[in-house]
Amino acid sequence: MIQLLIIAVLFTGALFYIGRMIYKSLTAKKGCGTDCKCGVDFSNAGPQKAGK
């Protein structure tokens, strides 16, 4: 009987862990991460000449 209780507790913990991972992956991110460079303006970027 005690073995069944241990298995039930472990199974419930695993379900909670998987559910939390799925929930976190599906929720929208609130902003940029560190060093994502999403606000950098690359409009003036272009190929550079080899001599410069």
Side-chain angles (χ1 to χ4, degrees):
M1 182 66 184
I2 191 76
Q3 295 151 343
L4 186 62
L5 182 64
I6 292 171
I7 296 298
V9 168
L10 288 175
F11 186 74
T12 304
L15 283 179
F16 177 75
Y17 179 73
I18 298 289
R20 195 182 78 182
M21 283 177 40
I22 292 171
Y23 176 75
K24 281 187 173 186
S25 70
L26 293 178
T27 55
K29 306 290 187 267
K30 295 205 175 12
C32 295
T34 57
D35 241 4
C36 70
K37 297 187 179 32
C38 60
V40 178
D41 181 21
F42 289 111
S43 62
N44 293 331
Q48 295 182 356
K49 295 184 181 179
K52 288 189 173 185

